[in-house]
Amino acid sequence: MSELVKTGRVYLVGAGPGALGLITLRAEQLIRQADVLVYDYLCNPEILRWVRPGSEIVYAGKSGSVQRLTQDKINLLLIEHARAGKQVVRLKGGDPYVFGRGGEEAQNLARAGIPFEVVPGITSAIAAPAYAGIPLTHRDFASTVTFVTGHEDPAKPDSTIDWPQLAQLRGTKIFLMGVKRLREIADRLMTEGADPAMPVALVRWGTTARQESLEGTLGTIADLVEKRGFKAPAIIIVGDVVKLRSELNWYEALPLWGQRVVVTRTRQQASGLTERLAQLGADVLEIPTIRIVPLSLGDVQQKTLKVFSQHFDWVVFTSPNAVDLFFSEFFKVTPDLRDLGSVKIAAVGSATAKKLSDLHLRIDLQPDIFTTEKLAEVLIGRMASSERICLPRGRLADAELTNRLRTGGGVVEEWVLYDTQPEQEDPTGVRARYVQEGAHWIMFTSSSTVENWHALNLQSVPDAPMPKIISMGPVTSATLKKLGYEIAAQAPASTLDSLVETICRLIAK
Ligand code: SAH
């Protein structure tokens, strides 16, 4: 490797405004490769999941006025790691060069002779207004945009901001870091001749599911903010474009807007449900309760795998995990999918079916109602007596399906492919958020998630909302009842879509 390739490098990377999907492809790629990640308060913590195991993660603050690491320390840290040959990602909220001192960090690197790259990001200054229904320019309302720091005291005589000129500018003005000094900012603009009736909007935690906005005028906004206890971080938009909000407020109009929903699944599985809910505007707290630990098959089972269809007439998959782990074991003993032979395949649930069709396997039997009872009933109806059935599953799966199939004349062999264990880590701080803020809903997709959630024993602070429970199927509901939980609704079918429809129905009521 040449010297140039081997040396460390610092990437000053924009994390985007908050919504995970608004980060750039280049940023994601660099985060996945980084040896060291130094990140800020305003970065979406979900990003931390992309960091390679073994990489170092440094939180550089700041939350409110508490700065965890001083700017000097951050600069030194970046330089030291780069000199040690590391790939260092310095992740900053929004765009690294829009306020937030990215320019100074780059200067320090340049002066120290450290190679660096800048990855621009979508700044909150444009994204938060867009998610609050406010275009920054519009032919009828504004032809200029000015980005202003709200950090400076407008009363300061040596202010670097030309307030008289700013007040005279007719276009849109965007203030960052301005919530604390909003009253002084509004007063100063009016003193310099701005119209007290000029519309103003504030957007807090823009583009995230915690987004909140507030509308007023230069004359009223400071009182409104005080009354509502509206807090940073927020973008302040001053200008006639704010009027367009009544027509263009698409994000806050989504059906699950303002609903905080806990999703309890393993980390690998959660994203499907989370995506659907987030798409509808929900604030999803994805709290992993269980972790899948693959278990290897024994010698005898491995030998059987090689000649699978001589041993079995059916293989029945009851979860996407079972499909994944079955085929991972299968491909350990043979590189050829055809060795599966002519065995017939049954699947319960559309996620399981999807996994199989991704492998280009046709499913011979899938009940229209996604429950194990229905699966057993349909399968028994279809098979001749004494057909041999392989049932790959988790260690804790209940025996009901096996029992039903045996009663119906099947010769069932259970293959235990994985164990589920309680998830102990909280790298994104999502559990802490649940404790602080509670949730409106919680969704359980299996008995083991219920049991593990119960075992976590997470209690939110007393005035936080208590979540209502939605369960994915009768087995999950039975477990909930056994543990003393009250169920608000059970999804009519055991699918993610059915769960999502259920919550939408309950909210629309
Ligand atoms: N480089 C960042 C800005 C850093 S300054 C960017 O380009 O977005 C910090 C200020 O950014 C905060 O005080 C707040 O005014 C604003 N900000 C950052 N993220 C925000 C968000 N999601 N919603 C509203 N304001 C945000």
Side-chain angles (χ1 to χ4, degrees):
M1 223 194 279
S2 78
E3 276 309 301
L4 187 70
V5 179
K6 248 194 317 191
T7 52
R9 187 177 285 262
V10 176
Y11 300 89
L12 276 177
V13 177
L20 200 59
L22 296 179
I23 197 165
T24 63
L25 294 175
R26 179 66 176 149
E28 181 184 347
Q29 181 188 39
L30 290 170
I31 293 162
R32 288 188 189 279
Q33 291 167 4
D35 300 311
V36 182
L37 177 85
V38 183
Y39 76 104
D40 268 347
Y41 167 58
L42 289 167
C43 303
N44 184 333
E46 294 288 316
I47 288 170
L48 300 181
R49 293 193 184 174
W50 296 339
V51 177
R52 280 191 293 125
S55 296
E56 189 178 338
I57 299 179
V58 182
Y59 178 56
K62 62 185 184 179
S63 158
S65 52
V66 185
Q67 175 86 44
R68 299 283 177 95
L69 280 182
T70 62
Q71 191 64 48
D72 284 348
K73 285 226 176 86
I74 295 172
N75 291 337
L76 264 178
L77 189 84
L78 300 179
I79 291 169
E80 273 170 14
H81 280 303
R83 289 217 170 119
K86 305 266 175 66
Q87 302 299 309
V88 184
V89 168
R90 168 61 171 131
L91 193 64
K92 296 175 83 72
D95 178 87
Y97 278 180
V98 175
F99 300 117
R101 308 184 70 172
E104 290 162 57
E105 288 182 21
Q107 278 180 305
N108 275 295
L109 297 169
R111 286 172 191 159
I114 306 287
F116 66 92
E117 175 180 327
V118 181
V119 182
I122 300 182
T123 172
S124 61
I126 62 169
Y131 269 59
I134 304 170
L136 297 195
T137 69
H138 186 286
R139 283 201 305 170
D140 298 338
F141 297 102
S143 308
T144 66
V145 184
T146 313
F147 299 109
V148 190
T149 171
H151 206 55
E152 273 197 23
D153 182 355
K156 214 171 54 176
D158 58 345
S159 169
T160 52
I161 298 166
D162 186 340
W163 289 98
Q165 195 195 30
L166 191 63
Q168 294 310 313
L169 259 178
R170 296 252 326 278
T172 307
K173 301 171 196 49
I174 304 286
F175 291 86
L176 292 90
M177 303 177 282
V179 179
K180 263 206 200 117
R181 295 199 191 276
L182 177 61
R183 189 175 295 279
E184 289 106 304
I185 292 170
D187 285 351
R188 182 73 198 260
L189 288 172
M190 290 188 288
T191 313
E192 301 295 350
D195 182 357
M198 176 63 75
V200 180
L202 270 78
V203 187
R204 172 169 199 263
W205 285 119
T207 79
T208 73
R210 304 152 83 181
Q211 176 173 315
E212 275 178 79
S213 33
L214 182 66
E215 252 178 280
T217 64
L218 271 185
T220 62
I221 196 76
D223 286 345
L224 287 172
V225 163
E226 225 174 81
K227 212 165 95 198
R228 273 265 297 266
F230 200 93
K231 298 238 158 53
I235 293 293
I236 303 165
I237 306 131
V238 179
D240 285 323
V241 285
V242 170
K243 291 179 188 157
L244 289 161
R245 193 171 132 76
S246 56
E247 195 181 347
L248 302 180
N249 192 7
W250 63 276
Y251 187 52
E252 294 169 19
L254 291 170
L256 297 185
W257 174 251
Q259 304 290 325
R260 195 154 48 249
V261 186
V262 173
V263 169
T264 63
R265 302 201 83 178
T266 59
R267 198 159 289 158
Q268 294 90 329
Q269 285 183 327
S271 54
L273 182 56
T274 299
E275 255 166 47
R276 282 173 172 82
L277 294 167
Q279 183 81 37
L280 296 169
D283 182 4
V284 186
L285 301 185
E286 197 175 281
I287 305 185
T289 52
I290 55 173
R291 200 155 40 99
I292 298 294
V293 183
L295 301 172
S296 288
L297 291 174
D299 287 349
V300 178
Q301 288 166 327
Q302 282 193 351
K303 285 198 184 104
T304 308
L305 258 187
K306 281 192 194 151
V307 283
F308 196 72
S309 64
Q310 292 174 25
H311 273 78
F312 292 108
D313 303 297
W314 288 93
V315 53
V316 177
F317 294 104
T318 55
S319 76
N321 284 321
V323 178
D324 279 343
L325 295 168
F326 177 86
F327 282 99
S328 110
E329 288 297 301
F330 180 78
F331 289 121
K332 278 185 198 163
V333 301
T334 166
D336 191 348
L337 186 57
R338 287 172 296 184
D339 286 345
L340 194 60
S342 57
V343 68
K344 284 179 284 232
I345 297 175
V348 63
S350 51
T352 308
K354 166 84 173 46
K355 280 273 175 202
L356 290 162
S357 67
D358 285 349
L359 287 163
H360 298 275
L361 289 169
R362 190 166 39 77
I363 295 160
D364 300 281
L365 185 146
Q366 186 186 356
D368 48 0
I369 303 170
F370 299 152
T371 60
T372 44
E373 291 91 314
K374 190 72 189 172
L375 175 80
E377 184 191 315
V378 179
L379 184 53
I380 291 163
R382 186 84 83 76
M383 69 189 188
S385 91
S386 304
E387 286 203 339
R388 297 155 303 172
I389 303 164
C390 177
L391 193 55
R393 47 196 342 197
R395 199 174 61 82
L396 295 177
D398 75 10
E400 196 185 317
L401 180 60
T402 307
N403 293 343
R404 278 175 194 258
L405 290 172
R406 282 186 182 147
T407 312
V411 179
V412 184
E413 232 181 80
E414 288 183 350
W415 283 19
V416 176
L417 285 169
Y418 59 93
D419 201 357
T420 44
Q421 290 181 355
E423 177 64 85
Q424 298 300 352
E425 290 165 22
D426 185 25
T428 64
V430 66
R431 291 189 196 195
R433 232 194 112 200
Y434 174 75
V435 170
Q436 279 311 309
E437 301 175 22
H440 305 98
W441 305 93
I442 177 163
M443 301 202 150
F444 289 108
T445 50
S446 70
S447 287
S448 55
T449 55
V450 174
E451 279 153 3
N452 286 296
W453 172 260
H454 186 74
L456 288 182
N457 193 21
L458 285 185
Q459 304 289 343
S460 351
V461 295
D463 49 349
M466 276 290 288
K468 293 195 192 115
I469 292 174
I470 303 183
S471 144
M472 178 135 118
V475 180
T476 309
S477 295
T479 308
L480 280 162
K481 282 185 200 143
K482 197 179 72 198
L483 291 171
Y485 291 99
E486 194 181 314
I487 301 165
Q490 179 186 305
S494 299
T495 65
L496 298 184
D497 282 339
S498 181
L499 264 182
V500 173
E501 277 160 25
T502 306
I503 182 172
C504 288
R505 210 184 56 238
L506 289 174
I507 286 163
K509 263 189 194 160

